[in-house]
């Protein structure tokens, strides 16, 4: 994790019913990575620790701990309250996994805006709040728990009861992407954002050998991935024939079978069967 984010926890909310999508949104692959992996990759360089609130069996990403929602079915407020109880740091940047348009600049903007007496920092555009990509301090927890106990789960009302700072950020203005706050809620949303997502910066050179290089038409590819499994998905997206081929991935000249985080500084090679075994 980054030393720049000392004292901060990055939290990804991976739950939700996904009723309009018809499947688990966190596991949807866009540009070679799942929505969950994209959110983790975005937060990782800015945080002292990471946490996923979701299903511990389905929502695993490399070395990031996953905790179940303390009270499933309570909406985003319940997920944020769970994170506030369990995160190792007092200040949290909370991000819903279905917002792939969020950028590093936005994360840094909200983190920098937090003052010592703020309980929360949330973006707004002309009064419309965006609470699912925001900053929350543990001091919010008593108010959030009381509202959950009373069955009042609306985020805007909960924020009105704490010391919230509202930062004006309007998509499409002042250099902010037009799709900054777009949610992936339905299959139709996927086509509108695929291929137009911001980079999270985990870029590495991947060496290709034998028939794999022939299929790719190159011996070196520039790829983005935060883990070995994410790299496998990105490779299959770039080289569709890999889905039907046997191959091995070597990290620093050692073939790896399990998932593990990648920093971008490793030597990565994709080996055909005769080389990788």
């Amino acid at each position: 994790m980054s030393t720049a984010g000392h004292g901060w926890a990055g939290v990804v909310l991976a739950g939700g019913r996904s009723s309009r999508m018809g499947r688990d949104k966190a596991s949807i692959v866009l540009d070679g990575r799942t929505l969950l992996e994209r959110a983790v990759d975005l937060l990782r360089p800015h945080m002292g620790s990471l946490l996923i609130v979701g299903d511990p069996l389905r929502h695993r990403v490399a070395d990031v701990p996953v905790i179940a929602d303390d009270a499933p079915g309570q909406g985003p407020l319940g997920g944020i309250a769970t994170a506030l109880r369990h995160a190792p740091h007092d200040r949290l940047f909370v991000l819903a996994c279905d917002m792939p348009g969020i950028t590093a600049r936005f994360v840094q903007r909200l983190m920098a805006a937090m003052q010592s007496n703020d309980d929360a920092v949330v973006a707004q555009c002309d009064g419309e709040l965006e609470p699912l990509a925001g900053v929350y301090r543990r001091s919010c927890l008593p108010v959030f728990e009381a509202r959950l106990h009373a069955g009042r789960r609306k985020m805007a009302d909960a924020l009105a009861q704490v010391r919230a700072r509202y930062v004006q950020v309007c998509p499409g203005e002042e250099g902010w992407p037009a799709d900054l706050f777009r949610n992936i809620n339905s299959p139709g949303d996927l086509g509108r954002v695929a291929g137009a997502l911001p980079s999270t910066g985990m870029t590495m050179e991947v060496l290709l050998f034998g028939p794999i290089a022939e299929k790719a038409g190159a011996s070196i590819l520039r790829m983005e991935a935060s883990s070995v499994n994410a790299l496998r998905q990105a490779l299959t997206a770039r080289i569709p024939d890999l889905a039907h081929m046997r191959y091995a991935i070597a990290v620093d000249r050692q073939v790896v079978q399990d998932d593990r985080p990648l920093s971008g500084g490793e030597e990565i090679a994709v080996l055909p069967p005769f080389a990788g075994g």
Side-chain angles (χ1 to χ4, degrees):
M1 305 300 167
S2 171
T3 56
H6 180 71
W8 285 85
V11 176
V12 180
L13 303 180
R17 299 179 183 227
S18 304
S19 55
R20 279 184 284 170
M21 182 62 68
R23 57 184 168 129
D24 179 26
K25 287 193 287 186
S27 63
I28 290 172
V29 176
L30 281 179
D31 289 358
R33 286 174 294 167
T34 66
L35 292 180
L36 180 57
E37 288 167 340
R38 291 192 67 87
V40 168
D41 288 352
L42 175 67
L43 295 179
R44 189 185 293 273
H46 311 286
M47 303 296 156
S49 65
L50 293 169
L51 181 68
I52 295 169
V53 179
D55 186 328
L57 297 179
R58 291 187 294 131
H59 296 146
R60 302 198 66 81
V61 175
D63 58 337
V64 182
V66 186
I67 60 170
D69 200 324
D70 289 338
Q74 297 294 308
L77 186 62
I80 294 172
T82 295
L84 290 169
R85 292 186 197 101
H86 298 285
H89 298 299
D90 179 66
R91 294 172 297 173
L92 282 59
F93 192 102
V94 175
L95 176 62
C97 72
D98 61 351
M99 300 179 68
I102 297 297
T103 64
R105 177 192 170 201
F106 178 81
V107 173
Q108 293 167 341
R109 175 72 178 89
L110 264 58
M111 290 173 67
M114 172 162 263
Q115 303 297 313
S116 60
N117 61 338
D118 292 336
D119 295 320
V121 179
V122 174
Q124 67 170 358
C125 180
D126 299 330
E128 184 172 347
L129 305 184
E130 194 54 62
L132 297 188
V135 170
Y136 296 89
R137 201 186 295 272
R138 207 183 309 275
S139 52
C140 292
L141 188 56
V143 169
F144 289 3
E145 287 180 327
R147 294 192 63 85
L148 288 168
H149 184 72
R152 299 195 297 269
R153 302 193 296 268
K154 189 174 180 180
M155 283 298 309
D157 292 345
L159 285 165
Q161 289 191 252
V162 300
R163 295 170 298 182
R165 181 178 300 274
Y166 301 105
V167 178
Q168 180 80 353
V169 175
C170 289
E173 299 179 9
E174 299 181 343
W176 296 110
D179 288 340
L180 182 67
F181 297 144
R182 183 186 292 278
N183 294 95
I184 304 297
N185 290 318
S186 68
D189 293 332
L190 293 175
R192 286 189 283 272
V193 301
L197 299 175
S199 169
T200 52
M202 289 286 187
T203 305
M204 63 196 71
E205 285 192 351
V206 179
L207 308 178
L208 309 179
F209 295 90
I212 296 173
E214 294 174 8
K215 295 289 186 183
S219 59
I220 300 176
L221 292 178
R222 297 284 293 178
M223 307 291 295
E224 288 187 13
S226 62
S227 67
V228 171
N229 281 353
L231 177 61
R232 292 184 192 278
Q233 294 173 339
L235 285 166
T236 302
R238 182 75 69 87
I239 314 170
D241 286 340
L242 276 183
H244 312 290
M245 298 174 64
R246 292 180 59 239
Y247 67 93
I249 292 177
V251 178
D252 291 333
R253 305 192 179 188
Q254 296 291 323
V255 172
V256 297
Q257 304 293 339
D258 57 341
D259 190 23
R260 63 184 63 183
L262 297 173
S263 68
E266 301 90 347
E267 178 183 291
I268 308 292
V270 183
L271 311 171
F274 65 81

